[in-house]
Amino acid sequence: MQKWKCFAMVALLVAALGVAGCGGGGGSTATEEEMPMPTPQEMCENADGRWNADETCTSAAELVMERQAAQRGAISTAIGTATTAVNAVDNDSSDADVTAADTALANARSAIAAADDLSDEEKAANTGTVNALATVLDGAKTARMAAMDDEQRAADMEMMATASKLYKGLEHGLGDATNVRTGASDAAGVISVTIGTDAAVPLAEDKKTTVAANHGWAGKRHAAEPTGDVGTYEAYVYSNVAAATEGDPFNEEYSANFSDGVLDAATTTGTASRIASPSFDQSAGLKRFKLPTPNPSGVTRITVPGSYHGVSGTYTCTPGDRNTCVSRVAASGFDLGVVDASNAFTAGSWTFSPTSATAKVTDVADTVYASYGWWIHKSEDGDTFTASAFVTERGDVPAATGITALRGTATYMGGAAGKYALYSSTGGTNDAGHFTARATLEADFNADMITGTIDQFMGADGQSRNWSVELMKQTVTDGGLINGTDGAGADVSMTKWTIDGTAAAAAGQWTGSIQDNGDDGVPKVGTGTFHSTYSTSGRMVGAFGVNKQ
C-alpha cells in the first residue's frame, strides 16, 4: 500500500514555476492549456488496482494474490467436502449417499477449473487429489454393488423358500373335505381357527398392532402361541362394525333409575354390553376385586373407573360379609356381582356414578356384525405353513329373504384380504404374503344371478399388484346363499386370476351370501370366500365383505 502525499508537493512546484514564467517575460501569454494532474484514485485504478474506502490502493499484483487465496480456499473446502462424502460410502450406504459423493467430486473439479489465477502445476496437483478420491469412490461403489447383489440374492432365496412353503400351505384351498380349515367368531368376538380334526384354537386380539380399515370394514389382528410344540397362529379380521351414535342425556335416559348421582345396582347389572372399564380386562371367567388387606381404615367398598352406556364415571361395589366383588365375562360385555365362599355368583352390589349426569349416552359397541379374514399357522420349526380364509359373524346377522321375488339389480362394494404365493424354482417369479384388495359384486335379481371382481390388489410390502380375480357368474338363492351353480345345476363357482393382463384358465371356487334385508327388501351386506390358481405357479385364498351401494 502507498500514501499519495508526493502528488501534492509536485502540484505546488509546477504551480510556482508557472507563475514565474508569466511574470518574467515582459507580458508573454501561454499558448497551450495546462493538463490537470490525475487523482490518487485515478492513478490506482488506471494501473488496474483497487481504491479502498480508507484511501489506500491495492495494486494489481496484490489483487492477483487475493484471488489466488480465495481460489485455493474454495478448492480446499470442496476437496474436504468430497473427502468426507467419499469416505462415507460403504456397503450400507443409500443411493442418496452415493449421489452426494458424486456431486461433491464434481463440485471439487469445478472449483479447480474456475481457479484462473493458479498455475497449471498447482491445478494439476489438486486434480490429482480429486482423481485419487474418485478411485476410492469407484472401489466403494463396486463393493457396495457386490454386497447389494449378495443381499438381493439372499432375499430372493428367502422369498423363494417362503413362497414354496406358502404355496404348499394353500394347496387345499377352502373347505376341502380332506383338510377342513375354518375360522369363526364366538358371541364375545373371540376368533378361533380349526385345522382338520384338531381342536379349535382361540386367538387373542392384538391390541398393540394397528390394522387399517379395508374399504370401510374395521381391521384387527389376532394371534396365539399355544404352549407346546404347536407353532404360532395369526389372523387378520375385517368387520362391518356400525359407528356409535349419541342418545339422550344420562339423567334423562335413566331418570327412573338414577338418584343422588348414582345409577342403581339393578340397572348396572341389567345390560352387560353397556358395562366397560379398564379394570374389567379378563378375556374369560371371573375377576375378583378384594378389599385391602390389612384394612386399618375399615374400607368396605371397591371403586374402579369405567363407563356405562358410553358415559364416563366410577363403579362402586359394596360386597357385604364374606362376599367378594367380581366382574364376569358375558356373551357381550360383563356381568357385575359378588361371589360367596362357595364361589356362587350373585348379580348386583355394583352401582355407577357418572362424571357428568348430563353427558349424552352413546350406543355401545356394535355386537352384531359380519366379518371376513384370513389366518395362517406356522409350525414350530417354521417349515410348514397352513393358511385359509373365512367369513363369520358376531351375533345373529339376519339372513336374506325373498330374493327370488326381487327384480332389478344391485351393486355391492367393499374389501377383500387373503394370502397368496407365486412360486418358481427355475428362475421365475417368487412372491408371497398377504394382500388387501377391492371387492365388487353385481347382483341381477331378474335372473337371481351374481358375479364379482377382486381388484386393486396391494401387498403387505405396500406395493400394488397388477392383478384381478373374476368371481364367475352363479346363482343366489331365495335366502341369499351364493350356491355355486348356473341355475341349471352345472357347477360354475370358479374364479379366473389375471396377472398383468394375462388371464389363467378358470379354476378355484368362490362362495358366500348376501344378508340383512333393508327397508327396500334388498340385502344390505355380503361376505364370501374364494380361492384361485394361476397355472401351476400361483395360489391365492381370500375372503371379502361388501355393502350395498
Side-chain angles (χ1 to χ4, degrees):
M1 302 293 181
Q2 301 178 41
K3 288 290 185 177
W4 293 86
K5 297 179 180 178
C6 60
F7 282 108
M9 297 175 63
V10 171
L12 288 172
L13 177 60
V14 170
L17 291 173
V19 171
C22 290
S28 65
T29 304
T31 60
E32 295 182 3
E33 185 178 347
E34 296 177 3
M35 298 297 294
M37 286 297 294
T39 66
Q41 181 174 348
E42 290 171 338
M43 295 283 287
C44 176
E45 293 174 348
N46 289 339
D48 295 327
R50 183 185 65 223
W51 187 254
N52 302 308
D54 62 353
E55 297 188 348
T56 61
C57 180
T58 302
S59 70
E62 290 170 331
L63 287 177
V64 170
M65 294 175 64
E66 279 188 4
R67 291 194 299 271
Q68 288 175 331
Q71 291 163 11
R72 290 188 181 104
I75 292 172
S76 177
T77 299
I79 290 178
T81 300
T83 302
T84 300
V86 168
N87 289 338
V89 175
D90 57 23
N91 292 352
D92 298 322
S93 295
S94 65
D95 289 346
D97 294 332
V98 176
T99 299
D102 285 332
T103 300
L105 285 175
N107 291 341
R109 294 189 190 280
S110 296
I112 295 170
D116 294 333
D117 294 294
L118 299 185
S119 67
D120 291 342
E121 291 78 6
E122 186 172 352
K123 292 168 71 172
N126 284 318
T127 298
T129 300
V130 175
N131 289 341
L133 286 173
T135 301
V136 173
L137 180 59
D138 287 341
K141 287 180 179 179
T142 300
R144 174 176 175 268
M145 292 304 297
M148 290 175 64
D149 289 343
D150 291 342
E151 185 177 337
Q152 185 61 53
R153 280 191 289 271
D156 290 345
M157 292 297 293
E158 183 178 357
M159 176 54 75
M160 185 170 72
T162 299
S164 173
K165 289 183 284 189
L166 189 51
Y167 185 83
K168 294 175 183 176
L170 295 173
E171 181 176 5
H172 294 281
L174 294 163
D176 190 299
T178 63
N179 189 5
V180 176
R181 305 175 185 186
T182 61
S185 170
D186 66 11
V190 176
I191 300 296
S192 296
V193 299
T194 304
I195 302 175
T197 59
D198 295 344
V201 178
L203 312 185
E205 180 184 342
D206 176 5
K207 297 184 178 180
K208 295 181 179 179
T209 300
T210 299
V211 178
N214 192 13
H215 292 271
W217 289 51
K220 290 184 178 181
R221 179 182 182 271
H222 301 255
E225 190 171 355
T227 57
D229 298 332
V230 295
T232 60
Y233 295 80
E234 179 184 38
Y236 273 56
V237 183
Y238 298 88
S239 302
N240 190 33
V241 181
T245 58
E246 285 188 341
D248 295 327
F250 192 90
N251 55 3
E252 293 180 17
E253 177 74 18
Y254 298 104
S255 58
N257 314 91
F258 188 66
S259 177
D260 296 327
V262 177
L263 186 65
D264 62 52
T267 306
T268 60
T269 58
T271 309
S273 62
R274 293 180 177 176
I275 296 169
S277 170
S279 298
F280 309 150
D281 55 2
Q282 74 273 29
S283 60
L286 295 169
K287 180 174 181 178
R288 299 170 180 269
F289 297 84
K290 294 183 178 181
L291 295 172
T293 302
N295 188 4
S297 58
V299 175
T300 60
R301 61 182 186 176
I302 301 294
T303 59
V304 297
S307 64
Y308 187 84
H309 208 160
V311 174
S312 298
T314 302
Y315 284 96
T316 301
C317 174
T318 305
D321 276 349
R322 294 181 297 279
N323 288 334
T324 301
C325 297
V326 296
S327 60
R328 182 176 67 180
V329 176
S332 175
F334 295 90
D335 293 323
L336 301 181
V338 295
V339 293
D340 59 17
S342 66
N343 217 36
F345 178 85
T346 303
S349 299
W350 289 80
T351 60
F352 177 76
S353 302
T355 302
S356 170
T358 58
K360 291 184 178 181
V361 301
T362 304
D363 284 347
V364 294
D366 192 358
T367 56
V368 179
Y369 50 80
S371 300
Y372 71 91
W374 57 264
W375 58 265
I376 185 169
H377 169 253
K378 298 179 181 180
S379 62
E380 184 71 14
D381 58 14
D383 289 341
T384 303
F385 292 175
T386 304
S388 191
F390 65 97
V391 296
T392 186
E393 58 188 50
R394 182 179 181 183
D396 295 317
V397 179
T401 58
I403 297 299
T404 56
L406 285 175
R407 294 295 178 264
T409 62
T411 298
Y412 296 83
M413 294 189 70
K419 303 289 287 188
Y420 71 91
L422 293 169
Y423 171 62
S424 172
S425 61
T426 57
T429 299
N430 283 287
D431 185 12
H434 60 269
F435 67 83
T436 56
R438 179 180 67 177
T440 306
L441 297 184
E442 299 287 352
D444 179 2
F445 296 117
N446 299 313
D448 299 330
M449 303 295 289
I450 194 164
T451 60
T453 302
I454 311 297
D455 60 9
Q456 296 185 3
F457 280 82
M458 186 70 69
D461 58 4
Q463 301 298 312
S464 62
R465 303 292 194 274
N466 189 18
W467 302 344
S468 66
V469 174
E470 177 186 354
L471 308 179
M472 300 178 71
K473 183 184 291 186
Q474 54 179 307
T475 55
V476 57
T477 69
D478 191 63
L481 294 178
I482 302 169
N483 68 356
T485 70
D486 62 0
D491 185 356
V492 293
S493 63
M494 292 185 290
T495 65
K496 189 180 293 185
W497 185 355
T498 297
I499 297 179
D500 293 332
T502 301
Q509 182 185 22
W510 77 284
T511 187
S513 64
I514 49 177
Q515 297 174 258
D516 195 10
N517 289 28
D519 294 338
D520 56 1
V522 181
K524 297 182 293 185
V525 66
T527 55
T529 56
F530 62 94
H531 69 93
S532 197
T533 60
Y534 195 86
S535 185
T536 58
S537 61
R539 287 175 180 162
M540 175 191 300
V541 63
F544 62 83
V546 292
N547 298 98
K548 179 178 175 292
Q549 301 303 292

